[in-house]
Amino acid sequence: PRKDGFRMPGEFEEHEGTWMLWPVRTDTWRAGAKPAQRAFAEVAKAISQFEPVTVCVNADQFENARALLDENIRVVEISSNDAWMRDIGPTFVKNDKGEVRGVDWQFNAWGGLDEGLYFPWDKDQLVKQKVLEIENIDRYDAKDFVLEGGAIHVDGEGTLITTEQCVLNPNRNADMSKEEVEEKLKEYLNIEKIIWIKDGLVDDETDGHVDEVLFYVRPGEVAIGWTDDPKHPHYEVLQAAYKQLEQEVDAKGRKLKIYKLPMPKQITITEEESREIDFAADAFDRSANTEFIATYVNCYICNGGVVIPAFGDPKDEEAIEVFKEMYPDRKIVAVNTREVSLGGGNIHCITQQQPKA
Ligand SMILES: NCCCCCC(N)=O
């Protein structure tokens, strides 16, 4: 464990607040990113009933974002190339003396020049530093290691879950072995046990982020997407992930309690929606009838609440019941985030928690 005692807390531990970015790029988001901006504003509003929210926005969208966002949400100018604060924002760590630091991983737009999702990502690379400047929080420079926050989940007690498909992908840290990657994660986040899930979801543009497969409910308990339908596109990978979790123990030697969250029908972009996206040679292909991930596990746990995706799917109600069972003492708030799915992620991907000091 780290010499200085800093660890990454579980998302379910108390937050100082939440950080988000503002969607604008028209080769990711359709119709001038307006539907996405409304969805992001709804998510920010839902979280702001539980804890302070800060939305970071490019200069030319400041007035519009300020007007669309509730007045109790802080809006600051920080430039970015796209709006995924989970992956572009700092990973906060804390010690038991009430000190907080931010880890500044290297970012390469989910693969860089080898199947990355856009080019360039120069502004994204400075977002972590700028957030930490605003908060006067010291920064750990981890630019020798490419990692996105969506690729890891921790229990705050020494265990980290990730996928081999993403974190060991040659388009992230080609020159590092699995052991060297493990060392980096253990060093920066104070991890004792890493649980490796082989693959993330099928055709996930992030190369299989773990936050589209499962999340930590609390120490010793995880929730995974689940389907009994062998025809569902993610049936095999979820069955495999479940079996791997069943065979594991965490840093404290505990078997994991596993909740099953029903998988909704996946999202398919329509001809009309696809036509509203700008073409760009360097951008991920979002042509008509492409299928995008929809899963309730890409939720966000905040102080006294959980903000979860909804898709207008019959499974929405069933998922809410599972969340109520997992979190009898938190308010469950559902937000329709189909528009965010079309960008390749969901609520967890567009948020970043800052832990209470
Ligand atoms: N187009 C970029 C999508 C990024 C999704 C982020 C995530 N799953 O944490």
Side-chain angles (χ1 to χ4, degrees):
R2 301 173 59 99
K3 299 171 287 304
D4 57 12
F6 283 91
R7 68 180 175 95
M8 182 180 175
E11 190 172 310
F12 40 78
E13 296 184 46
E14 193 178 0
H15 297 176
E16 193 74 45
T18 298
W19 290 84
M20 293 177 69
L21 285 161
W22 188 249
V24 293
R25 63 176 308 134
T26 55
D27 62 1
T28 294
W29 307 104
R30 70 184 182 92
K34 297 307 160 194
Q37 288 170 2
R38 284 192 289 274
F40 274 60
E42 279 304 302
V43 170
K45 180 176 179 173
I47 298 167
S48 68
Q49 67 186 293
F50 300 107
E51 61 186 58
V53 176
T54 303
V55 175
C56 307
V57 61
N58 294 335
D60 60 359
Q61 270 285 313
F62 177 80
E63 279 194 281
N64 184 47
R66 180 59 284 168
L68 269 177
L69 290 160
D70 273 22
E71 67 276 6
N72 67 344
I73 290 167
R74 177 170 66 167
V75 185
V76 297
E77 182 182 325
I78 290 187
S79 305
S80 66
N81 300 97
D82 202 0
W84 307 94
M85 193 55 108
R86 180 59 53 187
D87 295 342
I88 295 168
T91 297
F92 289 95
V93 291
K94 67 185 278 189
N95 64 15
D96 52 15
K97 292 202 285 295
E99 296 167 311
V100 176
R101 298 278 186 278
V103 184
D104 189 355
W105 313 109
Q106 180 62 273
F107 176 74
N108 74 349
W110 305 276
L113 301 181
D114 171 9
E115 291 187 15
L117 301 178
Y118 53 72
F119 179 87
W121 51 85
D122 52 328
K123 297 176 192 155
D124 292 341
Q125 282 189 315
L126 292 173
V127 167
K128 297 181 181 72
Q129 205 166 348
K130 292 176 180 178
V131 166
L132 297 172
E133 288 285 347
I134 287 180
E135 291 300 292
N136 273 318
I137 286 178
D138 287 344
R139 181 175 72 97
Y140 283 119
D141 185 330
K143 295 287 191 180
D144 59 346
F145 183 55
V146 175
L147 185 76
E148 302 98 43
I152 60 171
H153 264 304
V154 298
D155 66 355
E157 297 186 357
T159 315
L160 178 143
I161 308 179
T162 189
T163 66
E164 295 188 4
Q165 181 196 353
C166 178
V167 173
L168 302 183
N169 195 306
N171 67 8
R172 291 327 199 266
N173 301 285
D175 55 343
M176 291 173 74
S177 68
K178 183 172 183 177
E179 290 66 33
E180 286 166 327
V181 167
E182 288 211 343
E183 274 321 298
K184 277 288 171 207
L185 293 170
K186 289 179 176 178
E187 176 197 345
Y188 280 107
L189 303 174
N190 212 341
I191 297 297
E192 285 139 57
K193 167 75 184 281
I194 294 173
I195 295 175
W196 289 95
I197 301 293
K198 190 170 173 309
D199 291 317
L201 298 193
V202 175
D203 292 342
D204 178 344
E205 59 193 77
T206 65
D207 299 310
H209 271 185
V210 76
D211 72 347
E212 298 274 36
V213 178
L214 57 86
F215 69 95
Y216 253 114
V217 177
R218 55 180 66 82
E221 301 186 12
V222 299
I224 190 169
W226 183 257
T227 176
D228 292 314
D229 174 4
K231 291 190 297 304
H232 193 285
H234 304 302
Y235 177 77
E236 275 80 21
V237 285
L238 290 171
Q239 295 279 332
Y242 187 90
K243 286 191 181 63
Q244 286 175 272
L245 286 177
E246 270 185 321
Q247 290 154 12
E248 282 287 357
V249 291
D250 66 13
K252 303 275 188 199
R254 294 173 293 216
K255 298 292 284 176
L256 295 170
K257 176 175 182 177
I258 308 172
Y259 289 92
K260 294 175 176 177
L261 272 168
M263 285 297 279
K265 192 173 172 324
Q266 299 305 283
I267 303 291
T268 302
I269 188 168
T270 65
E271 180 72 44
E272 166 68 22
E273 290 169 334
S274 184
R275 258 205 306 271
E276 296 171 325
I277 299 175
D278 282 352
F279 173 80
D282 290 329
F284 183 80
D285 178 15
R286 296 182 200 279
S287 47
N289 304 315
T290 303
E291 191 172 272
F292 292 95
I293 290 169
T295 174
Y296 304 108
V297 309
N298 204 267
C299 63
Y300 184 61
I301 308 166
C302 44
N303 293 343
V306 190
V307 180
I308 71 171
F311 303 99
D313 185 292
K315 294 276 197 288
D316 288 355
E317 283 312 309
E318 200 180 314
I320 289 172
E321 291 315 306
V322 178
F323 274 97
K324 285 179 179 170
E325 184 197 329
M326 292 190 289
Y327 290 116
D329 57 348
R330 288 177 192 259
K331 185 180 172 194
I332 309 300
V333 179
V335 178
N336 188 302
T337 48
R338 170 190 165 84
E339 292 299 337
V340 186
S341 277
L342 294 179
N346 221 293
I347 295 174
H348 192 254
C349 306
I350 64 174
T351 52
Q352 185 67 246
Q353 66 276 6
Q354 178 177 340
K356 198 102 182 132

